[in-house]
Amino acid sequence: MKKSIAVVIFLLLSLASSAQAPFSGQAEISVITCGPYQGEVYSAFGHSAIRVRDPSTGEDLAFNYGTFTFDPAFYINFPRGDLFYKLGVYPYDRFRDAYISQNRYVHEQVLDLTDEQTQKVRTYLHRNALPENATYRYDYFYNNCATKVRDVFVVLFGDSIRFDGSYIKTDYTIRELTDSYLAEQPWGDLGIDICLGLPMDKKLAPFEYMFLPDYIESGFDHAKLNGRRIVKRKNIVYKSSPEPASFSLLHPWIVFNLFLFGAILLCYYDWKKKKLTKWFDAVLFFVVGLAGVLLVLLWTATDHQAAAKNLNLLWAVPFHVVAAVLLFRPRFYTFVAGYFMITGILSWFTLLLWFFLPQELNVFLIPFNIVLGIRAYTISRLLVPGKLVRS
């Protein structure tokens, strides 16, 4: 706590003096790239920051646009899409050591800037770090801790800085790039793929790849300022040790296929006994319907722009909530049987078009959608119109 207060005091003093006290010839600005960490979904993408170092004054700070506070306001704002992050400032050694302690590589790109350019970056960062300026509206892909690092130099140097994206030979979408970092986070990957819609399937220009820290590093490697390469030298501060890939029996592919196997057995049992297991179907379709309600709210009632136009609504139909309740209302059996016949047709239609839709749906959900199809068909046939089928 005392160290944090000291950093804030140092920032205020240094900002006040920055206009009169130019950097020494030893001062340096660096872009810092930290490797991924599989302990959390958000850390699986790595991290970016800016280092300001001046040996003559003892200044050595990391400017980190990726800080946020878990407080009541965060939990209220997150579902609405009002995500606010802050520019945090730490002693560089503390910042570096935190990533090394998690076995995350740390790369430093020392930039080839004049004293005037270095001073300009330093002043901008110090002003940005003031309490009234530090908070910004976060966007997963267009205004995050990586793009903010790039945009510091875009804002300050304009057309003088050029990011040459010709080294990128792929035309990935946002979703494809995101998926490539979540191989060890299958449930996190699944959650993202369910909650975020068609905007995630936009093909990216090379400049837009830089929402990821790895591409911030490679972007600066291929950038020029006033016609000369902006990176003067690279330092491998820490090289991470290889870690074995994790495996869990609770992988969604295993879980959903076991669920499918159980549902097939249940369908066989229901057809043999001519009796519908309504409690199973009520829970299944009520939960799926709630998921659909959530997707609609994310699309229409929040500022999560990436959640718009979500084709997962082909299977997560909000009306399932009502249909699940009506399974226990005999006078609605004719309507419910017809509803689930349509649901079954929609499920099989979705499965047939799975790999042809403009939005990439997560393959882990294929067995789950088969369950929805076979149970919907079973309901439509065994919930005989006008006849009470005991549960």
Side-chain angles (χ1 to χ4, degrees), residues 174-209:
I174 297 174
R175 194 183 306 275
E176 287 169 336
L177 276 175
T178 302
D179 288 348
S180 68
Y181 284 81
L182 293 173
E184 295 188 46
Q185 300 272 359
W187 287 106
D189 184 26
L190 177 63
I192 290 172
D193 281 344
I194 290 175
C195 291
L196 302 186
L198 268 174
M200 278 276 284
D201 295 271
K202 172 192 172 184
K203 296 285 186 183
L204 294 177
F207 187 78
E208 294 174 309
Y209 276 52

PDB file of all heavy atoms in Angstrom, residues 174-209:
ATOM      1  N   ILE A 174     -12.305 -12.729 -35.742  1.00  0.00           N
ATOM      2  CA  ILE A 174     -12.062 -12.521 -34.306  1.00  0.00           C
ATOM      3  C   ILE A 174     -12.234 -13.834 -33.551  1.00  0.00           C
ATOM      4  O   ILE A 174     -11.434 -14.184 -32.675  1.00  0.00           O
ATOM      5  CB  ILE A 174     -13.025 -11.463 -33.743  1.00  0.00           C
ATOM      6  CG1 ILE A 174     -12.801 -10.112 -34.407  1.00  0.00           C
ATOM      7  CG2 ILE A 174     -12.867 -11.335 -32.228  1.00  0.00           C
ATOM      8  CD1 ILE A 174     -13.815  -9.055 -34.007  1.00  0.00           C
ATOM      9  N   ARG A 175     -13.287 -14.591 -33.906  1.00  0.00           N
ATOM     10  CA  ARG A 175     -13.572 -15.833 -33.193  1.00  0.00           C
ATOM     11  C   ARG A 175     -12.439 -16.847 -33.396  1.00  0.00           C
ATOM     12  O   ARG A 175     -12.027 -17.526 -32.457  1.00  0.00           O
ATOM     13  CB  ARG A 175     -14.901 -16.420 -33.666  1.00  0.00           C
ATOM     14  CG  ARG A 175     -15.437 -17.527 -32.751  1.00  0.00           C
ATOM     15  CD  ARG A 175     -16.729 -18.125 -33.295  1.00  0.00           C
ATOM     16  NE  ARG A 175     -17.749 -17.136 -33.557  1.00  0.00           N
ATOM     17  CZ  ARG A 175     -18.588 -16.673 -32.629  1.00  0.00           C
ATOM     18  NH1 ARG A 175     -18.511 -17.120 -31.392  1.00  0.00           N
ATOM     19  NH2 ARG A 175     -19.517 -15.783 -32.950  1.00  0.00           N
ATOM     20  N   GLU A 176     -11.936 -16.946 -34.611  1.00  0.00           N
ATOM     21  CA  GLU A 176     -10.865 -17.911 -34.891  1.00  0.00           C
ATOM     22  C   GLU A 176      -9.602 -17.560 -34.123  1.00  0.00           C
ATOM     23  O   GLU A 176      -8.934 -18.443 -33.573  1.00  0.00           O
ATOM     24  CB  GLU A 176     -10.587 -17.953 -36.393  1.00  0.00           C
ATOM     25  CG  GLU A 176     -11.679 -18.655 -37.191  1.00  0.00           C
ATOM     26  CD  GLU A 176     -11.543 -18.465 -38.687  1.00  0.00           C
ATOM     27  OE1 GLU A 176     -10.916 -17.460 -39.113  1.00  0.00           O
ATOM     28  OE2 GLU A 176     -12.064 -19.312 -39.439  1.00  0.00           O
ATOM     29  N   LEU A 177      -9.269 -16.282 -34.061  1.00  0.00           N
ATOM     30  CA  LEU A 177      -8.088 -15.873 -33.292  1.00  0.00           C
ATOM     31  C   LEU A 177      -8.299 -16.128 -31.802  1.00  0.00           C
ATOM     32  O   LEU A 177      -7.390 -16.590 -31.106  1.00  0.00           O
ATOM     33  CB  LEU A 177      -7.802 -14.392 -33.532  1.00  0.00           C
ATOM     34  CG  LEU A 177      -6.993 -14.043 -34.783  1.00  0.00           C
ATOM     35  CD1 LEU A 177      -6.909 -12.528 -34.947  1.00  0.00           C
ATOM     36  CD2 LEU A 177      -5.596 -14.637 -34.714  1.00  0.00           C
ATOM     37  N   THR A 178      -9.489 -15.815 -31.321  1.00  0.00           N
ATOM     38  CA  THR A 178      -9.792 -16.045 -29.904  1.00  0.00           C
ATOM     39  C   THR A 178      -9.721 -17.529 -29.573  1.00  0.00           C
ATOM     40  O   THR A 178      -9.126 -17.923 -28.562  1.00  0.00           O
ATOM     41  CB  THR A 178     -11.194 -15.499 -29.577  1.00  0.00           C
ATOM     42  OG1 THR A 178     -11.246 -14.109 -29.886  1.00  0.00           O
ATOM     43  CG2 THR A 178     -11.527 -15.690 -28.106  1.00  0.00           C
ATOM     44  N   ASP A 179     -10.312 -18.362 -30.427  1.00  0.00           N
ATOM     45  CA  ASP A 179     -10.298 -19.814 -30.195  1.00  0.00           C
ATOM     46  C   ASP A 179      -8.881 -20.362 -30.108  1.00  0.00           C
ATOM     47  O   ASP A 179      -8.610 -21.293 -29.344  1.00  0.00           O
ATOM     48  CB  ASP A 179     -11.050 -20.541 -31.312  1.00  0.00           C
ATOM     49  CG  ASP A 179     -12.553 -20.332 -31.246  1.00  0.00           C
ATOM     50  OD1 ASP A 179     -13.026 -19.812 -30.215  1.00  0.00           O
ATOM     51  OD2 ASP A 179     -13.239 -20.678 -32.218  1.00  0.00           O
ATOM     52  N   SER A 180      -7.964 -19.810 -30.901  1.00  0.00           N
ATOM     53  CA  SER A 180      -6.594 -20.339 -30.946  1.00  0.00           C
ATOM     54  C   SER A 180      -5.867 -20.186 -29.619  1.00  0.00           C
ATOM     55  O   SER A 180      -4.887 -20.884 -29.360  1.00  0.00           O
ATOM     56  CB  SER A 180      -5.804 -19.648 -32.066  1.00  0.00           C
ATOM     57  OG  SER A 180      -5.566 -18.277 -31.767  1.00  0.00           O
ATOM     58  N   TYR A 181      -6.350 -19.279 -28.767  1.00  0.00           N
ATOM     59  CA  TYR A 181      -5.720 -19.077 -27.457  1.00  0.00           C
ATOM     60  C   TYR A 181      -6.421 -19.846 -26.338  1.00  0.00           C
ATOM     61  O   TYR A 181      -5.967 -19.823 -25.197  1.00  0.00           O
ATOM     62  CB  TYR A 181      -5.710 -17.587 -27.107  1.00  0.00           C
ATOM     63  CG  TYR A 181      -4.657 -16.812 -27.861  1.00  0.00           C
ATOM     64  CD1 TYR A 181      -4.884 -16.404 -29.168  1.00  0.00           C
ATOM     65  CD2 TYR A 181      -3.433 -16.503 -27.284  1.00  0.00           C
ATOM     66  CE1 TYR A 181      -3.919 -15.704 -29.875  1.00  0.00           C
ATOM     67  CE2 TYR A 181      -2.466 -15.800 -27.977  1.00  0.00           C
ATOM     68  CZ  TYR A 181      -2.717 -15.405 -29.276  1.00  0.00           C
ATOM     69  OH  TYR A 181      -1.749 -14.717 -29.976  1.00  0.00           O
ATOM     70  N   LEU A 182      -7.537 -20.498 -26.660  1.00  0.00           N
ATOM     71  CA  LEU A 182      -8.350 -21.115 -25.615  1.00  0.00           C
ATOM     72  C   LEU A 182      -8.413 -22.630 -25.718  1.00  0.00           C
ATOM     73  O   LEU A 182      -9.350 -23.254 -25.228  1.00  0.00           O
ATOM     74  CB  LEU A 182      -9.768 -20.532 -25.651  1.00  0.00           C
ATOM     75  CG  LEU A 182      -9.877 -19.055 -25.278  1.00  0.00           C
ATOM     76  CD1 LEU A 182     -11.294 -18.544 -25.509  1.00  0.00           C
ATOM     77  CD2 LEU A 182      -9.457 -18.820 -23.834  1.00  0.00           C
ATOM     78  N   ALA A 183      -7.395 -23.224 -26.335  1.00  0.00           N
ATOM     79  CA  ALA A 183      -7.381 -24.681 -26.467  1.00  0.00           C
ATOM     80  C   ALA A 183      -7.406 -25.365 -25.105  1.00  0.00           C
ATOM     81  O   ALA A 183      -7.973 -26.452 -24.946  1.00  0.00           O
ATOM     82  CB  ALA A 183      -6.152 -25.122 -27.255  1.00  0.00           C
ATOM     83  N   GLU A 184      -6.796 -24.743 -24.097  1.00  0.00           N
ATOM     84  CA  GLU A 184      -6.785 -25.308 -22.753  1.00  0.00           C
ATOM     85  C   GLU A 184      -7.886 -24.731 -21.876  1.00  0.00           C
ATOM     86  O   GLU A 184      -7.926 -24.985 -20.674  1.00  0.00           O
ATOM     87  CB  GLU A 184      -5.415 -25.092 -22.116  1.00  0.00           C
ATOM     88  CG  GLU A 184      -4.287 -25.840 -22.826  1.00  0.00           C
ATOM     89  CD  GLU A 184      -2.986 -25.763 -22.066  1.00  0.00           C
ATOM     90  OE1 GLU A 184      -3.002 -25.973 -20.836  1.00  0.00           O
ATOM     91  OE2 GLU A 184      -1.952 -25.486 -22.698  1.00  0.00           O
ATOM     92  N   GLN A 185      -8.754 -23.942 -22.457  1.00  0.00           N
ATOM     93  CA  GLN A 185      -9.884 -23.360 -21.723  1.00  0.00           C
ATOM     94  C   GLN A 185     -11.174 -23.687 -22.474  1.00  0.00           C
ATOM     95  O   GLN A 185     -11.908 -22.786 -22.910  1.00  0.00           O
ATOM     96  CB  GLN A 185      -9.708 -21.839 -21.629  1.00  0.00           C
ATOM     97  CG  GLN A 185      -8.466 -21.391 -20.918  1.00  0.00           C
ATOM     98  CD  GLN A 185      -8.686 -21.261 -19.426  1.00  0.00           C
ATOM     99  OE1 GLN A 185      -9.785 -21.498 -18.930  1.00  0.00           O
ATOM    100  NE2 GLN A 185      -7.661 -20.882 -18.701  1.00  0.00           N
ATOM    101  N   PRO A 186     -11.493 -24.981 -22.664  1.00  0.00           N
ATOM    102  CA  PRO A 186     -12.640 -25.330 -23.513  1.00  0.00           C
ATOM    103  C   PRO A 186     -13.971 -24.798 -23.007  1.00  0.00           C
ATOM    104  O   PRO A 186     -14.838 -24.424 -23.804  1.00  0.00           O
ATOM    105  CB  PRO A 186     -12.613 -26.855 -23.538  1.00  0.00           C
ATOM    106  CG  PRO A 186     -11.859 -27.257 -22.306  1.00  0.00           C
ATOM    107  CD  PRO A 186     -10.830 -26.180 -22.107  1.00  0.00           C
ATOM    108  N   TRP A 187     -14.149 -24.755 -21.687  1.00  0.00           N
ATOM    109  CA  TRP A 187     -15.420 -24.234 -21.169  1.00  0.00           C
ATOM    110  C   TRP A 187     -15.502 -22.730 -21.360  1.00  0.00           C
ATOM    111  O   TRP A 187     -16.575 -22.183 -21.663  1.00  0.00           O
ATOM    112  CB  TRP A 187     -15.596 -24.610 -19.705  1.00  0.00           C
ATOM    113  CG  TRP A 187     -15.901 -26.056 -19.501  1.00  0.00           C
ATOM    114  CD1 TRP A 187     -15.059 -27.027 -19.026  1.00  0.00           C
ATOM    115  CD2 TRP A 187     -17.142 -26.721 -19.787  1.00  0.00           C
ATOM    116  NE1 TRP A 187     -15.682 -28.247 -18.998  1.00  0.00           N
ATOM    117  CE2 TRP A 187     -16.970 -28.105 -19.449  1.00  0.00           C
ATOM    118  CE3 TRP A 187     -18.376 -26.306 -20.284  1.00  0.00           C
ATOM    119  CZ2 TRP A 187     -17.982 -29.038 -19.608  1.00  0.00           C
ATOM    120  CZ3 TRP A 187     -19.385 -27.243 -20.438  1.00  0.00           C
ATOM    121  CH2 TRP A 187     -19.190 -28.589 -20.098  1.00  0.00           C
ATOM    122  N   GLY A 188     -14.371 -22.044 -21.174  1.00  0.00           N
ATOM    123  CA  GLY A 188     -14.345 -20.611 -21.434  1.00  0.00           C
ATOM    124  C   GLY A 188     -14.590 -20.311 -22.896  1.00  0.00           C
ATOM    125  O   GLY A 188     -15.325 -19.380 -23.251  1.00  0.00           O
ATOM    126  N   ASP A 189     -13.967 -21.106 -23.763  1.00  0.00           N
ATOM    127  CA  ASP A 189     -14.168 -20.960 -25.202  1.00  0.00           C
ATOM    128  C   ASP A 189     -15.634 -21.181 -25.558  1.00  0.00           C
ATOM    129  O   ASP A 189     -16.223 -20.432 -26.348  1.00  0.00           O
ATOM    130  CB  ASP A 189     -13.273 -21.974 -25.925  1.00  0.00           C
ATOM    131  CG  ASP A 189     -13.344 -21.843 -27.434  1.00  0.00           C
ATOM    132  OD1 ASP A 189     -13.643 -20.748 -27.926  1.00  0.00           O
ATOM    133  OD2 ASP A 189     -13.097 -22.852 -28.123  1.00  0.00           O
ATOM    134  N   LEU A 190     -16.239 -22.198 -24.949  1.00  0.00           N
ATOM    135  CA  LEU A 190     -17.643 -22.495 -25.200  1.00  0.00           C
ATOM    136  C   LEU A 190     -18.535 -21.336 -24.759  1.00  0.00           C
ATOM    137  O   LEU A 190     -19.450 -20.923 -25.481  1.00  0.00           O
ATOM    138  CB  LEU A 190     -18.038 -23.776 -24.466  1.00  0.00           C
ATOM    139  CG  LEU A 190     -19.503 -24.201 -24.569  1.00  0.00           C
ATOM    140  CD1 LEU A 190     -19.873 -24.514 -26.014  1.00  0.00           C
ATOM    141  CD2 LEU A 190     -19.774 -25.413 -23.673  1.00  0.00           C
ATOM    142  N   GLY A 191     -18.270 -20.799 -23.580  1.00  0.00           N
ATOM    143  CA  GLY A 191     -19.069 -19.681 -23.079  1.00  0.00           C
ATOM    144  C   GLY A 191     -18.992 -18.465 -23.987  1.00  0.00           C
ATOM    145  O   GLY A 191     -20.009 -17.813 -24.264  1.00  0.00           O
ATOM    146  N   ILE A 192     -17.790 -18.157 -24.464  1.00  0.00           N
ATOM    147  CA  ILE A 192     -17.613 -17.029 -25.384  1.00  0.00           C
ATOM    148  C   ILE A 192     -18.368 -17.279 -26.678  1.00  0.00           C
ATOM    149  O   ILE A 192     -19.061 -16.406 -27.201  1.00  0.00           O
ATOM    150  CB  ILE A 192     -16.117 -16.790 -25.646  1.00  0.00           C
ATOM    151  CG1 ILE A 192     -15.444 -16.228 -24.394  1.00  0.00           C
ATOM    152  CG2 ILE A 192     -15.908 -15.842 -26.827  1.00  0.00           C
ATOM    153  CD1 ILE A 192     -13.937 -16.141 -24.480  1.00  0.00           C
ATOM    154  N   ASP A 193     -18.237 -18.498 -27.207  1.00  0.00           N
ATOM    155  CA  ASP A 193     -18.891 -18.817 -28.477  1.00  0.00           C
ATOM    156  C   ASP A 193     -20.408 -18.793 -28.372  1.00  0.00           C
ATOM    157  O   ASP A 193     -21.101 -18.500 -29.350  1.00  0.00           O
ATOM    158  CB  ASP A 193     -18.435 -20.196 -28.980  1.00  0.00           C
ATOM    159  CG  ASP A 193     -17.069 -20.144 -29.635  1.00  0.00           C
ATOM    160  OD1 ASP A 193     -16.612 -19.042 -29.962  1.00  0.00           O
ATOM    161  OD2 ASP A 193     -16.451 -21.212 -29.818  1.00  0.00           O
ATOM    162  N   ILE A 194     -20.946 -19.108 -27.193  1.00  0.00           N
ATOM    163  CA  ILE A 194     -22.401 -19.062 -27.010  1.00  0.00           C
ATOM    164  C   ILE A 194     -22.876 -17.617 -26.868  1.00  0.00           C
ATOM    165  O   ILE A 194     -23.868 -17.215 -27.485  1.00  0.00           O
ATOM    166  CB  ILE A 194     -22.823 -19.888 -25.780  1.00  0.00           C
ATOM    167  CG1 ILE A 194     -22.625 -21.386 -26.047  1.00  0.00           C
ATOM    168  CG2 ILE A 194     -24.285 -19.608 -25.415  1.00  0.00           C
ATOM    169  CD1 ILE A 194     -22.910 -22.269 -24.840  1.00  0.00           C
ATOM    170  N   CYS A 195     -22.173 -16.830 -26.077  1.00  0.00           N
ATOM    171  CA  CYS A 195     -22.666 -15.491 -25.720  1.00  0.00           C
ATOM    172  C   CYS A 195     -22.417 -14.435 -26.792  1.00  0.00           C
ATOM    173  O   CYS A 195     -23.136 -13.435 -26.838  1.00  0.00           O
ATOM    174  CB  CYS A 195     -22.036 -15.039 -24.402  1.00  0.00           C
ATOM    175  SG  CYS A 195     -22.609 -15.975 -22.970  1.00  0.00           S
ATOM    176  N   LEU A 196     -21.419 -14.630 -27.644  1.00  0.00           N
ATOM    177  CA  LEU A 196     -21.065 -13.598 -28.618  1.00  0.00           C
ATOM    178  C   LEU A 196     -21.484 -14.027 -30.016  1.00  0.00           C
ATOM    179  O   LEU A 196     -21.289 -15.177 -30.417  1.00  0.00           O
ATOM    180  CB  LEU A 196     -19.571 -13.300 -28.565  1.00  0.00           C
ATOM    181  CG  LEU A 196     -19.052 -12.843 -27.192  1.00  0.00           C
ATOM    182  CD1 LEU A 196     -17.590 -12.439 -27.267  1.00  0.00           C
ATOM    183  CD2 LEU A 196     -19.897 -11.685 -26.644  1.00  0.00           C
ATOM    184  N   GLY A 197     -22.057 -13.084 -30.756  1.00  0.00           N
ATOM    185  CA  GLY A 197     -22.708 -13.416 -32.013  1.00  0.00           C
ATOM    186  C   GLY A 197     -21.899 -13.103 -33.257  1.00  0.00           C
ATOM    187  O   GLY A 197     -20.665 -13.158 -33.267  1.00  0.00           O
ATOM    188  N   LEU A 198     -22.613 -12.726 -34.317  1.00  0.00           N
ATOM    189  CA  LEU A 198     -22.014 -12.535 -35.643  1.00  0.00           C
ATOM    190  C   LEU A 198     -20.853 -11.541 -35.684  1.00  0.00           C
ATOM    191  O   LEU A 198     -19.937 -11.721 -36.495  1.00  0.00           O
ATOM    192  CB  LEU A 198     -23.092 -12.093 -36.629  1.00  0.00           C
ATOM    193  CG  LEU A 198     -23.789 -13.223 -37.400  1.00  0.00           C
ATOM    194  CD1 LEU A 198     -24.938 -12.657 -38.228  1.00  0.00           C
ATOM    195  CD2 LEU A 198     -22.797 -13.942 -38.309  1.00  0.00           C
ATOM    196  N   PRO A 199     -20.827 -10.474 -34.875  1.00  0.00           N
ATOM    197  CA  PRO A 199     -19.670  -9.577 -34.927  1.00  0.00           C
ATOM    198  C   PRO A 199     -18.342 -10.294 -34.663  1.00  0.00           C
ATOM    199  O   PRO A 199     -17.284  -9.819 -35.088  1.00  0.00           O
ATOM    200  CB  PRO A 199     -19.980  -8.555 -33.822  1.00  0.00           C
ATOM    201  CG  PRO A 199     -21.463  -8.505 -33.782  1.00  0.00           C
ATOM    202  CD  PRO A 199     -21.915  -9.923 -34.027  1.00  0.00           C
ATOM    203  N   MET A 200     -18.385 -11.426 -33.953  1.00  0.00           N
ATOM    204  CA  MET A 200     -17.166 -12.198 -33.699  1.00  0.00           C
ATOM    205  C   MET A 200     -16.640 -12.882 -34.960  1.00  0.00           C
ATOM    206  O   MET A 200     -15.500 -13.345 -34.991  1.00  0.00           O
ATOM    207  CB  MET A 200     -17.443 -13.278 -32.648  1.00  0.00           C
ATOM    208  CG  MET A 200     -17.390 -12.816 -31.216  1.00  0.00           C
ATOM    209  SD  MET A 200     -15.705 -12.825 -30.575  1.00  0.00           S
ATOM    210  CE  MET A 200     -15.456 -14.584 -30.315  1.00  0.00           C
ATOM    211  N   ASP A 201     -17.450 -12.965 -35.995  1.00  0.00           N
ATOM    212  CA  ASP A 201     -17.063 -13.688 -37.201  1.00  0.00           C
ATOM    213  C   ASP A 201     -16.641 -12.747 -38.327  1.00  0.00           C
ATOM    214  O   ASP A 201     -16.600 -13.135 -39.492  1.00  0.00           O
ATOM    215  CB  ASP A 201     -18.208 -14.597 -37.643  1.00  0.00           C
ATOM    216  CG  ASP A 201     -18.486 -15.685 -36.612  1.00  0.00           C
ATOM    217  OD1 ASP A 201     -17.874 -16.751 -36.701  1.00  0.00           O
ATOM    218  OD2 ASP A 201     -19.280 -15.436 -35.693  1.00  0.00           O
ATOM    219  N   LYS A 202     -16.294 -11.543 -37.953  1.00  0.00           N
ATOM    220  CA  LYS A 202     -15.766 -10.574 -38.909  1.00  0.00           C
ATOM    221  C   LYS A 202     -14.328 -10.917 -39.270  1.00  0.00           C
ATOM    222  O   LYS A 202     -13.500 -11.199 -38.401  1.00  0.00           O
ATOM    223  CB  LYS A 202     -15.823  -9.169 -38.295  1.00  0.00           C
ATOM    224  CG  LYS A 202     -15.122  -8.111 -39.116  1.00  0.00           C
ATOM    225  CD  LYS A 202     -14.957  -6.829 -38.330  1.00  0.00           C
ATOM    226  CE  LYS A 202     -14.079  -5.837 -39.087  1.00  0.00           C
ATOM    227  NZ  LYS A 202     -13.818  -4.620 -38.304  1.00  0.00           N
ATOM    228  N   LYS A 203     -14.018 -10.894 -40.566  1.00  0.00           N
ATOM    229  CA  LYS A 203     -12.641 -11.063 -41.016  1.00  0.00           C
ATOM    230  C   LYS A 203     -11.852  -9.808 -40.649  1.00  0.00           C
ATOM    231  O   LYS A 203     -12.293  -8.691 -40.898  1.00  0.00           O
ATOM    232  CB  LYS A 203     -12.588 -11.280 -42.529  1.00  0.00           C
ATOM    233  CG  LYS A 203     -13.276 -12.559 -43.005  1.00  0.00           C
ATOM    234  CD  LYS A 203     -12.459 -13.792 -42.690  1.00  0.00           C
ATOM    235  CE  LYS A 203     -13.093 -15.037 -43.294  1.00  0.00           C
ATOM    236  NZ  LYS A 203     -12.348 -16.270 -42.950  1.00  0.00           N
ATOM    237  N   LEU A 204     -10.665 -10.007 -40.080  1.00  0.00           N
ATOM    238  CA  LEU A 204      -9.891  -8.886 -39.570  1.00  0.00           C
ATOM    239  C   LEU A 204      -8.817  -8.435 -40.541  1.00  0.00           C
ATOM    240  O   LEU A 204      -8.162  -9.257 -41.192  1.00  0.00           O
ATOM    241  CB  LEU A 204      -9.239  -9.263 -38.245  1.00  0.00           C
ATOM    242  CG  LEU A 204     -10.183  -9.513 -37.065  1.00  0.00           C
ATOM    243  CD1 LEU A 204      -9.392  -9.956 -35.856  1.00  0.00           C
ATOM    244  CD2 LEU A 204     -10.984  -8.265 -36.742  1.00  0.00           C
ATOM    245  N   ALA A 205      -8.612  -7.125 -40.602  1.00  0.00           N
ATOM    246  CA  ALA A 205      -7.443  -6.571 -41.281  1.00  0.00           C
ATOM    247  C   ALA A 205      -6.233  -6.781 -40.364  1.00  0.00           C
ATOM    248  O   ALA A 205      -6.387  -6.911 -39.139  1.00  0.00           O
ATOM    249  CB  ALA A 205      -7.656  -5.084 -41.554  1.00  0.00           C
ATOM    250  N   PRO A 206      -5.018  -6.815 -40.919  1.00  0.00           N
ATOM    251  CA  PRO A 206      -3.826  -7.037 -40.075  1.00  0.00           C
ATOM    252  C   PRO A 206      -3.742  -6.076 -38.893  1.00  0.00           C
ATOM    253  O   PRO A 206      -3.358  -6.492 -37.793  1.00  0.00           O
ATOM    254  CB  PRO A 206      -2.669  -6.829 -41.060  1.00  0.00           C
ATOM    255  CG  PRO A 206      -3.230  -7.264 -42.371  1.00  0.00           C
ATOM    256  CD  PRO A 206      -4.672  -6.800 -42.348  1.00  0.00           C
ATOM    257  N   PHE A 207      -4.101  -4.816 -39.084  1.00  0.00           N
ATOM    258  CA  PHE A 207      -4.049  -3.844 -37.993  1.00  0.00           C
ATOM    259  C   PHE A 207      -4.949  -4.262 -36.844  1.00  0.00           C
ATOM    260  O   PHE A 207      -4.636  -4.020 -35.667  1.00  0.00           O
ATOM    261  CB  PHE A 207      -4.467  -2.461 -38.519  1.00  0.00           C
ATOM    262  CG  PHE A 207      -4.307  -1.343 -37.530  1.00  0.00           C
ATOM    263  CD1 PHE A 207      -3.065  -0.782 -37.279  1.00  0.00           C
ATOM    264  CD2 PHE A 207      -5.411  -0.826 -36.853  1.00  0.00           C
ATOM    265  CE1 PHE A 207      -2.923   0.262 -36.373  1.00  0.00           C
ATOM    266  CE2 PHE A 207      -5.281   0.209 -35.951  1.00  0.00           C
ATOM    267  CZ  PHE A 207      -4.022   0.761 -35.712  1.00  0.00           C
ATOM    268  N   GLU A 208      -6.072  -4.916 -37.180  1.00  0.00           N
ATOM    269  CA  GLU A 208      -7.035  -5.312 -36.153  1.00  0.00           C
ATOM    270  C   GLU A 208      -6.618  -6.569 -35.404  1.00  0.00           C
ATOM    271  O   GLU A 208      -7.176  -6.859 -34.349  1.00  0.00           O
ATOM    272  CB  GLU A 208      -8.409  -5.517 -36.800  1.00  0.00           C
ATOM    273  CG  GLU A 208      -9.022  -4.242 -37.357  1.00  0.00           C
ATOM    274  CD  GLU A 208     -10.309  -4.492 -38.107  1.00  0.00           C
ATOM    275  OE1 GLU A 208     -10.329  -5.368 -39.002  1.00  0.00           O
ATOM    276  OE2 GLU A 208     -11.315  -3.805 -37.801  1.00  0.00           O
ATOM    277  N   TYR A 209      -5.653  -7.306 -35.929  1.00  0.00           N
ATOM    278  CA  TYR A 209      -5.122  -8.443 -35.190  1.00  0.00           C
ATOM    279  C   TYR A 209      -4.508  -7.987 -33.860  1.00  0.00           C
ATOM    280  O   TYR A 209      -4.322  -8.800 -32.939  1.00  0.00           O
ATOM    281  CB  TYR A 209      -4.028  -9.147 -35.992  1.00  0.00           C
ATOM    282  CG  TYR A 209      -4.478 -10.155 -37.019  1.00  0.00           C
ATOM    283  CD1 TYR A 209      -5.430  -9.849 -37.987  1.00  0.00           C
ATOM    284  CD2 TYR A 209      -3.922 -11.429 -37.055  1.00  0.00           C
ATOM    285  CE1 TYR A 209      -5.828 -10.765 -38.938  1.00  0.00           C
ATOM    286  CE2 TYR A 209      -4.307 -12.366 -38.012  1.00  0.00           C
ATOM    287  CZ  TYR A 209      -5.263 -12.031 -38.947  1.00  0.00           C
ATOM    288  OH  TYR A 209      -5.639 -12.954 -39.886  1.00  0.00           O
TER     289      TYR A 209
END
